Amino acid sequence: MATPATTGQQIPFNRSSTVGKELQNIAESLLGGQIAGDQAFTRRCQALLEQLTGTRQALLTTSCTHALEMSALLLNVGPGDEVILPSFTFVSTANAFVLRGAKPVFIDVRPDTFNLDEKHLERLITERTKAVVPVHYAGVGCEMDAILAICRKRGVAVVEDNAHGLFGRYRGQPLGTFGQLATQSFHETKNLTCGEGGALLINDPAYAERGEVLREKGTNRAQFFRGQVAKYTWVDVGSSYVMSDVLAAFLYGQLEQWERVQAKRKQVWEYYHMHLADWAATAGIRTPVVPKHCDQAYHMYYLVMPNLDSRQAFIKHLKDRGILAVFHYQPLHLSVMGRKYGGKEGDCPVSEMAGDCLVRLPFFNDLALADQARVVREVRAWGGNQ
Ligand SMILES: *Cc1c(COP(=O)(O)O)cnc(C)c1O
């Protein structure tokens, strides 16, 4: 992670880097001659994820999107069902359930954390609601006490989209262990990566056996390899959600270094916050809110600008100075697909504001201190909406 500063060059928004034994592990995997899924490195990653989060069972998948699709299959989501999810999220949070024929029901987010706003939840649950999908935005926990209480009362499953939140905690409990199911992403933009990858965390044992089957093309192959059945056969629906062990080898190199990665990301986050919070307050710009009972996962640092015009001007100001800052989710209820499900302006006002006003600063595991200083300097040089 000791990359020198990019002196004079452009500072990207994101860049992936090796942090440990990734290359050595890949060589070991290749030389071992078994590079399909569920080999040694996959098992090591899964065991480490289980140990670090306390989940009952972790299954590596080809992506977080696929882990979400597996969740939809496990919950038997189908036509006529409704799934409640924030409008301010990545498309996969919705698509995984829409693929099964369900209707996405968009809930607005809280103005402080941009997490699903639990005060709207009860009102949106109907007898068709199959699941609620909280997204721990920026790795800051949703209000899980309230969400779980409502979902338990109404008999609705919870799938945490924890793509941002690995190693974050809510009231001391790891994110990804609250829902019956939770999903992780190891896409290159996330804290830990193998390029493209993910995991399904199965917290409710009721889904454990079928989870393995769906992931292995609908076969009981996993049971066969454990010697629990004499031969393996087609037992259920399923698909191929298994990650190659070559990628798992890379991922294991990252996972083993999780403490170093998280410490580095904490340093970046705190550096930005220390040097920008006071300035932002005087400039009418909002900085991230992390409630006291949440230990965040240090996934990103963002600013909330006064309006769309100032956000766009600010991005251009930084781009002209060689710094790539980017906006984030455009509200799903106003997307081409979202509108087909009845979404219209004003449905989710906070999501619409966040879509217009939020901007993310460069944030990655080998962002040099000198580059952090350069970002801070150029951000603070912004004179407003000229
Ligand atoms: C990145 C992300 C995903 C998708 O992850 P992939 O691993 O790329 O499929 C889903 N949800 C959220 C909130 C994300 O940030």
Side-chain angles (χ1 to χ4, degrees), residues 293-370:
H293 53 279
C294 294
D295 298 320
Q296 63 154 319
Y298 300 103
H299 178 57
M300 72 169 85
Y301 194 86
Y302 62 79
L303 298 171
V304 187
M305 308 302 286
N307 52 53
L308 177 61
D309 286 346
S310 60
R311 199 265 309 268
Q312 296 309 88
F314 180 71
I315 289 174
K316 183 173 184 305
H317 162 88
L318 291 179
K319 188 157 186 254
D320 290 345
R321 288 154 182 82
I323 294 166
L324 291 187
V326 296
F327 57 87
H328 210 188
Y329 306 128
Q330 296 305 289
L332 292 181
H333 71 285
L334 298 181
S335 65
V336 172
M337 277 295 277
R339 286 177 191 274
K340 290 188 183 163
Y341 290 101
K344 55 186 187 315
E345 271 85 9
D347 285 354
C348 299
V350 182
S351 300
E352 291 167 30
M353 182 278 282
D356 282 350
C357 301
L358 189 142
V359 55
R360 296 176 290 160
L361 298 182
F363 203 116
F364 46 90
N365 295 343
D366 67 348
L367 182 59
L369 196 55

Side-chain angles (χ1 to χ4, degrees), residues 63-65 68 89-90 92-93 135 161 163-164 185 187 190 197 329:
S63 65
C64 180
T65 301
L68 287 162
T89 184
F90 189 62
S92 295
T93 319
V135 178
D161 179 340
H164 302 180
S185 175
H187 183 262
K190 304 306 190 310
Y329 306 128

Side-chain angles (χ1 to χ4, degrees), residues 239-296:
S239 190
S240 182
Y241 296 122
V242 180
M243 177 193 283
S244 158
D245 223 52
V246 181
L247 283 181
F250 189 97
L251 182 60
Y252 191 65
Q254 298 248 314
L255 270 175
E256 271 192 315
Q257 296 296 324
W258 75 275
E259 283 175 301
R260 259 178 72 210
V261 168
Q262 291 301 101
K264 173 62 200 259
R265 298 184 77 95
K266 180 171 193 273
Q267 182 274 315
V268 176
W269 198 97
E270 288 180 346
Y271 184 92
Y272 279 153
H273 201 60
M274 181 168 63
H275 292 93
L276 294 176
D278 290 349
W279 165 83
T282 60
I285 294 164
R286 183 161 92 53
T287 51
V289 174
V290 183
K292 282 226 158 43
H293 53 279
C294 294
D295 298 320
Q296 63 154 319

